Amino acid sequence: MSHTSDDELDALLRRSFDGPVPDEGFSEKLMQRLPPHRRRIAWPLWSGVLAGVGAGGLSLLRSPLLGDGLRDWLRGEWSAPAVALLLAATGMSLLACWWSMAEADTR
């Protein structure tokens, strides 16, 4: 639909709107009977983060990429392992930032 059609449809709906539909208190009763909002449990998230960090650390423990990249990075040399390490750190921090914003509680 075009923007013009949306405006025309909106105007038509507003003209034929008679007001709220009476429900004899049904909505209020229903809202009172609903269970309270459950609080999120944090331990699965943190255990998953710790398991991921542990698995990543164990997989990189015997890899020369981590040691060579860190050594070259600290020396200020732009080698392939240093760039790979920098890109991995940047990607993981951006992913963590995106994930935290997606999981943020907006209330």
Side-chain angles (χ1 to χ4, degrees):
M1 292 182 102
S2 68
H3 185 63
T4 313
S5 298
D6 289 342
D7 291 339
E8 292 172 5
L9 183 60
D10 191 37
L12 177 65
L13 288 172
R14 288 187 188 279
R15 276 196 307 262
S16 63
F17 180 66
D18 294 331
V21 177
D23 65 352
E24 289 88 29
F26 173 76
S27 334
E28 291 177 22
K29 291 176 189 174
L30 180 67
M31 292 304 290
Q32 290 174 357
R33 293 184 63 196
L34 289 175
H37 185 69
R38 290 185 359 176
R39 199 180 126 201
R40 288 187 182 181
I41 301 172
W43 71 265
L45 172 67
W46 291 111
S47 61
V49 167
L50 288 175
V53 167
L58 284 175
S59 67
L60 290 175
L61 190 60
R62 295 190 181 165
S63 171
L65 179 69
L66 184 62
D68 292 345
L70 189 58
R71 184 188 64 233
D72 292 345
W73 188 5
L74 292 176
R75 287 183 184 168
E77 298 175 8
W78 290 97
S79 64
V83 171
L85 187 64
L86 183 63
L87 288 175
T90 303
M92 287 187 290
S93 64
L94 287 174
L95 181 63
C97 180
W98 171 77
W99 187 13
S100 65
M101 286 190 302
E103 291 291 323
D105 194 10
T106 58
R107 281 178 272 140

